[in-house]
DNA sequence: TCCTTGTTGTTCTTGTCATAACAACATTTA
DNA sequence: TAAATGTTGTTATGACAAGAACAACAAGGA
């Protein structure tokens, strides 16, 4: 009998596609054999024998298991390739349906009596910040201005280059060297040394300013030991302030 | 204020991507406006005001909402296009991870002391039967023999034709006419009248025999008022019986 | 007769929903 | 300016549903 991979990871992954703990354990057990009775499933999976029956019913409903009405009944797994794709298909259909309706609502959303674009919004955690930034960069229409630490910039550089390929005017200041290989003509890259002494502003480890189309700005703040935070705003004041800061930095490095 | 679409359907769809009822209602409310306070969200969504706060925390964690630390705090939806794709991406990653591990286990599954291929497996419900059949047809290596009612055949004919395009030898007997348009050369189609009188076997409304590679057979049984059932087997006896039945039917119609 | 299979019921646990209560802060009123 | 009122944010509690875990029993098979 082969060793079972870490089944806690597996049941956790299968929970994402809608399986309960017992459903996962039973399906995993069945995947390992060509077929089994309920009692055998109980022995392989550790799920209580009486519970195996309703669990199997549910797995049959979910098109992960088929039954032979022998005596005793025998059960067989549908291949994971097929079974999981079937589950995912339904989830995707539901997600698409919801997305369509919601996106329509979103496009017609109520225009409040202003003020929202004056707000500064907070985003916590590197993953969410990257997702927000990639979205902003992907939808840039005119220009992108960036000053960013290389440590962070490398995580989004592929998005930046992809947007550059559509001819969007992009100017980057960073301690990260210009990437070797294909770099679109519309991407202007200024590489700065990591440390230029006390008189020069330094680029922090996890820091950056990202200005899109001269009207949206995102300020990344963080250090390597604390989860990063970003502030995002469409406020004219906020954007202008960082546009000027960006120009200042660029001016410094043009002289150097 | 625009009319809200049927939000029970929406919350049901969003449940598939992992949102609770309150999370769905709050997100839907936020999608409709450019931003709102917790109290406004409570008024729009109907979720109790005290419950809105922990729900918003969770939605922020799920990258569906961002917050501005104004007084009172204001919240804003991330666009459904982006937000739902983010959720789906995680589900898909989990599904792929599970699928990979499980498929490897499945390929090495224990070979029992035979007998499974002698069993007859039951499949209930049209959707599951179609999925099973499409899988069988897609993986056919040599041949497919079909006798099927047109009513059912039309639901899988695209799969059959796609497999025909890979040169698999396919013979079909049905009351469904050969489809107009591109039909692969390896698909031989015999059309039979719906009713040939008492002396001839009739093709039931929801019925069919599907034989793949001369070693797998699926028998579809049903009528229009009862959900169909299928029997599937790799048993030599079962397959041979229906191969002979298929040949008999074909012989009848060659004479006619 | 004993064992196995299948089914049902009960209890416990956990998470979500729904409500109440309270502290802190902001705004309004006298 | 102080007091009264309203708003915001947080926490606690109870009800409910679903899943997990176990016990018990009837029916069928060996």
């Amino acid at each position: 009998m082969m060793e079972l991979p870490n089944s806690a990871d597996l049941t956790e992954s299968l929970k994402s596609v809608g399986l309960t703990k017992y459903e996962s354990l039973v399906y995993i057990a069945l995947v390992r054999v060509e077929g089994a009775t309920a009692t055998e499933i109980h022995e392989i999976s550790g799920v209580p024998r009486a519970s195996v029956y309703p669990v199997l019913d549910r797995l049959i409903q979910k098109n992960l298991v088929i039954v032979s009405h022998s005596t005793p009944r025998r059960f067989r797994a549908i291949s994971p390739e097929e079974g999981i794709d079937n589950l995912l298909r339904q989830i995707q259909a539901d997600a698409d349906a919801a997305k369509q309706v919601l996106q329509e609502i979103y496009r017609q959303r109520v225009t409040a009596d202003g003020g929202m674009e004056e707000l500064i919004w907070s985003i916590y955690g590197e993953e969410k910040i990257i997702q927000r930034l990639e979205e902003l960069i992907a939808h840039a229409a005119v220009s992108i201005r960036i000053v960013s630490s290389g440590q962070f910039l490398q995580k989004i550089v592929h998005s930046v280059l992809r947007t550059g390929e559509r001819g969007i005017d992009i100017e980057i200041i960073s301690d990260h060297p210009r990437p070797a290989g294909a770099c679109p003509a519309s991407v202007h890259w200024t590489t700065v040394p990591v440390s230029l002494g006390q008189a020069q502003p330094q680029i922090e480890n996890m820091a950056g300013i990202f200005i899109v189309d001269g009207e949206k700005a995102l300020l990344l703040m963080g250090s390597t030991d604390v989860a990063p935070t970003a502030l995002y705003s469409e406020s004219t004041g906020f954007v202008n302030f960082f546009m000027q800061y960006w120009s200042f930095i660029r001016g410094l490095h043009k002289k150097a």
Side-chain angles (χ1 to χ4, degrees), chain A:
Chain A
M1 182 65 70
M2 61 174 287
E3 277 301 308
L4 187 68
N6 186 349
S7 72
D9 287 347
L10 256 189
T11 56
E12 207 57 41
S13 295
L14 290 171
K15 197 185 297 180
S16 286
V17 292
L19 298 196
T20 65
K21 177 182 159 193
Y22 275 4
E23 286 169 352
S24 300
L25 291 173
V26 166
Y27 184 63
I28 293 164
L30 272 177
V31 163
R32 299 169 59 188
V33 294
E34 295 200 335
T37 64
T39 300
E40 287 164 351
I41 294 167
H42 147 65
E43 286 160 0
I44 303 171
S45 65
V47 172
R49 192 185 64 77
S51 299
V52 166
Y53 294 91
V55 168
L56 284 166
D57 288 341
R58 300 204 302 266
L59 287 175
I60 289 168
Q61 269 308 298
K62 291 182 180 183
N63 210 2
L64 289 173
V65 170
I66 56 176
V67 59
S68 169
H69 290 290
S70 47
T71 304
R73 285 182 294 170
R74 303 195 76 87
F75 303 86
R76 181 164 128 175
I78 287 173
S79 88
E81 204 165 60
E82 185 189 341
I84 291 178
D85 280 355
N86 288 342
L87 291 181
L88 256 190
R89 207 171 293 129
Q90 186 57 55
I91 293 170
Q92 256 160 343
D94 286 342
D96 287 345
K99 186 162 68 167
Q100 235 177 343
V101 175
L102 287 171
Q103 198 63 26
E104 189 55 38
I105 299 173
Y106 188 73
R107 289 195 318 107
Q108 303 175 10
R109 62 190 182 279
V110 175
T111 302
D113 53 0
M116 297 301 163
E117 68 277 355
E118 302 303 319
L119 292 172
I120 300 177
W121 306 90
S122 304
I123 304 165
Y124 306 103
E126 184 177 314
E127 189 192 348
K128 292 198 201 51
I129 293 165
I130 289 172
Q131 284 179 352
R132 271 265 97 240
L133 262 178
E134 288 185 340
E135 190 72 16
L136 281 173
I137 289 163
H139 287 93
V142 177
S143 68
I144 299 178
R145 301 286 180 260
I146 294 173
V147 51
S148 173
S149 64
Q151 186 175 325
F152 183 78
L153 186 60
Q154 72 191 350
K155 300 171 193 263
I156 61 163
V157 69
H158 53 275
S159 299
V160 175
L161 297 184
R162 200 182 312 128
T163 295
E165 273 158 19
R166 340 188 234 119
I168 305 294
D169 176 31
I170 299 174
E171 297 208 39
I172 300 171
I173 301 168
S174 176
D175 56 319
H176 189 283
R178 184 186 186 92
C183 198
S186 71
V187 179
H188 310 279
W189 200 292
T190 303
T191 307
V192 298
V194 175
S195 169
L196 282 179
Q198 311 301 349
Q200 311 275 5
Q202 289 191 16
I203 299 184
E204 299 292 338
N205 284 342
M206 243 338 190
I209 299 162
F210 304 83
I211 302 161
V212 177
D213 296 334
E215 64 192 18
K216 302 173 187 178
L218 185 141
L219 172 66
L220 171 69
M221 307 173 291
S223 61
T224 47
D225 50 334
V226 182
T229 298
L231 300 178
Y232 167 76
S233 187
E234 290 155 25
S235 149
T236 310
F238 189 89
V239 175
N240 283 347
F241 174 81
F242 287 109
M243 269 303 292
Q244 283 164 18
Y245 182 74
W246 183 87
S247 301
F248 172 64
I249 298 286
R250 190 183 57 166
L252 280 186
H253 292 293
K254 266 204 164 150
K255 289 175 189 146

